[in-house]
Amino acid sequence: MSVPTRPVRRGDRPRLALVLSGGGARGAYEAGVVRYIREELAGDLGGQVQFDIYCGTSVGAIHACFLAATSDLAPVQGRMLVDRWESFVLEEMVSFGLREFLRAPATLLGSGHIEEIEGERRLGGVVETRKLERVVRRLIPWGQIAVNQQRGFFESLSVTATDIGSGKSVVFLQKGPGNPTHWSKDPFVRAQAVNIAPEHAMASASLPILFPAVAVGDRFFCDGGLRQNTPLSPALRLGADKVLVIGLRHKPPAMEKSDEESMPYPGAAFLVGKILNAFLLDHIDYDLDRLRRFNAVIRAVREAAGPNDSERFEEVVTKMRGAPYRVVDELMIRPSIDLGGLAGEIGRSGKFKGTGGGPGIQMLRRLATARGADEADLLSYILFDGFYAAEVARTGYEDARTQHEELAKFLGDCVIRG
């Protein structure tokens, strides 16, 4: 049993946020990055990085809750998370069959069947996720979130979900007393203070159509990635001075026109995967570019203006948006390879931890050999299998290693030593 890390006071240390993206089974990449930070990077920095704010969407919401709940065990967090991912056996995690497929049209038309499972309500969904939900409940010591927050291991936790009825992004917040009380003026974003529980994380991770929508109170929610897949905005509004973002989308080099013309006509599985990409893998590059532009403007105003002018600028901005602008440093780690392509390779190789699973799982296996499976995006979202997870986590670990110098420089003043 590892000895819990001792909480310390912030002092002048920057407030650091970890921002985690959504993407179903691709989330094993985040586990690999966290493991590198907690093991290799910590050894070189001489201590563990202290994350003050955890923000997640979809599978990133589950990871954010896990990291907050185990923040007193920082040195072993990464290994624990990777081990859990690598233990997954596909047919033990998800299943689906004829009944689930027949319900899909009704869900789309607004007359889906509401099921009550273990006291909780679910709506629609092609994939049966009860086993996966049980893993989430058991993986995370939910009661420890509030304990660790009170003991100072972290300040704030947020998970984002989409309210199906209104279409709004709802940011479920468990924040400290010193955090800002204002929130976005965007009419399509609502913040709600809660004690974050399993239903909030599972609502955020409910992939539209594929996974059943989850009831929180009297409203149904689905994946927060429909409107806000990489939750950068909550981290900024919770007072982050630095933001480490882990993305799940590979950014390929510019595609040549000849490459586009040579692509075959895509099949149905290919199209569904691309639709999910459009929904869930958002334009984080645009958000980060906008943050950099704001940083540049703030620095320019401070350099060009006198003290009185700077104060006046802050007053006007605060009145306009409810909070002053400030410089926020950022760093992003993203996959060096296409995780959809990796899913296709794993599927075609036949390397699955399990061998059974019935017709539904066999169909998943066939997705790997379907037309257009060189980019098996649909498969990559639902391939909760240890072989795929191990390769994705290894990719995250190695990508973090590649950015070791950048990470060490960025996180060096956020380390707890001694």
Side-chain angles (χ1 to χ4, degrees):
M1 182 70 179
S2 298
V3 177
T5 305
R6 183 176 57 188
V8 298
R9 295 184 180 276
R10 170 189 306 286
D12 295 329
R13 179 173 52 81
R15 181 177 280 109
L16 175 64
L18 179 63
V19 176
L20 300 166
S21 305
R26 297 174 181 229
Y29 182 86
E30 296 172 344
V33 174
V34 170
R35 182 186 166 202
Y36 186 84
I37 291 172
R38 290 308 190 200
E39 295 179 1
E40 298 294 328
L41 188 67
D44 284 356
L45 294 179
Q48 289 293 337
V49 172
Q50 172 92 4
F51 291 104
D52 304 291
I53 301 167
Y54 293 104
C55 298
T57 294
S58 191
V59 67
I62 295 172
H63 286 163
C65 292
F66 171 84
L67 294 171
T70 60
S71 52
D72 58 330
L73 300 171
V76 297
Q77 282 181 315
R79 182 71 263 175
M80 290 167 63
L81 206 51
V82 170
D83 283 348
R84 173 53 67 181
W85 275 99
E86 292 182 353
S87 73
F88 287 170
V89 177
L90 184 58
E91 55 262 35
E92 292 179 1
M93 293 297 105
V94 296
S95 63
F96 58 98
L98 180 61
R99 184 184 67 170
E100 285 76 17
F101 275 113
L102 291 177
R103 285 180 181 174
T107 300
L108 288 171
L109 294 173
S111 58
H113 174 68
I114 297 176
E115 283 190 316
E116 186 164 328
I117 301 171
E118 298 179 0
E120 296 181 351
R121 291 179 298 154
R122 300 288 184 268
L123 172 64
V126 172
V127 180
E128 170 55 63
T129 60
R130 267 181 278 190
K131 296 176 182 177
L132 192 59
E133 290 180 11
R134 290 193 190 104
V135 170
V136 171
R137 289 181 177 278
R138 294 169 183 168
L139 171 68
I140 300 170
W142 294 94
Q144 196 67 22
I145 292 177
V147 173
N148 285 344
Q149 185 181 37
Q150 291 168 2
R151 294 176 63 193
F153 288 108
F154 75 97
E155 290 184 5
S156 303
L157 169 65
S158 79
V159 301
T160 303
T162 302
D163 185 324
I164 292 178
S166 67
K168 292 182 178 181
S169 288
V170 177
V171 183
F172 294 111
L173 293 169
Q174 187 161 327
K175 60 181 183 176
N179 289 134
T181 56
H182 57 269
W183 204 254
S184 174
K185 294 185 178 180
D186 186 340
F188 294 102
V189 179
R190 174 169 62 86
Q192 183 174 333
V194 297
N195 290 320
I196 289 180
E199 59 267 25
H200 301 111
M202 290 187 290
S204 179
S206 176
L207 292 168
I209 306 304
L210 291 179
F211 293 177
V214 175
V216 178
D218 59 353
R219 303 190 68 83
F220 281 95
F221 293 84
C222 68
D223 200 297
L226 288 181
R227 293 186 58 87
Q228 190 184 75
N229 191 47
T230 304
L232 183 61
S233 178
L236 301 181
R237 295 188 179 278
L238 287 168
D241 301 306
K242 288 189 170 189
V243 179
L244 177 62
V245 180
I246 305 178
L248 297 180
R249 185 172 198 166
H250 168 60
K251 187 177 182 180
M255 182 179 289
E256 299 291 338
K257 186 176 181 181
S258 59
D259 293 334
E260 294 177 351
E261 292 174 347
S262 67
M263 291 179 68
Y265 183 80
F270 181 93
L271 290 174
V272 172
K274 292 305 177 187
I275 290 171
L276 281 173
N277 280 353
F279 277 144
L280 302 177
L281 299 181
D282 67 355
H283 302 291
I284 183 60
D285 294 293
Y286 170 77
D287 291 339
L288 289 175
D289 283 342
R290 184 172 62 173
L291 175 60
R292 291 166 190 145
R293 289 196 297 271
F294 273 120
N295 285 343
V297 169
I298 294 168
R299 289 188 177 106
V301 168
R302 289 176 179 173
E303 289 180 10
N308 293 336
D309 294 328
S310 295
E311 290 178 8
R312 178 58 180 159
F313 172 75
E314 298 292 348
E315 290 175 6
V316 171
V317 169
T318 301
K319 183 177 180 180
M320 176 182 66
R321 64 187 294 270
Y325 283 131
R326 66 189 188 284
V327 173
V328 179
D329 295 326
E330 45 72 32
L331 179 64
M332 182 176 187
I333 299 178
R334 68 193 319 156
S336 57
I337 61 173
D338 182 354
L339 300 183
L342 179 59
E345 292 175 12
I346 295 290
R348 289 190 295 275
S349 72
K351 292 181 179 178
F352 292 88
K353 266 206 155 182
T355 57
I361 298 301
Q362 296 304 319
M363 191 192 73
L364 288 184
R365 297 172 190 271
R366 287 196 293 273
L367 286 177
T369 57
R371 191 177 187 183
D374 284 344
E375 298 181 58
D377 294 310
L378 174 58
L379 185 63
S380 73
Y381 285 104
I382 52 181
L383 190 55
F384 291 94
D385 187 85
F387 278 112
Y388 177 61
E391 288 300 310
V392 174
R394 183 187 63 79
T395 300
Y397 189 91
E398 293 301 325
D399 287 349
R401 185 198 299 276
T402 300
Q403 291 184 244
H404 178 90
E405 295 302 323
E406 293 174 82
L407 282 167
K409 182 178 179 180
F410 184 76
L411 299 174
D413 57 355
C414 301
V415 173
I416 304 300
R417 295 180 174 88

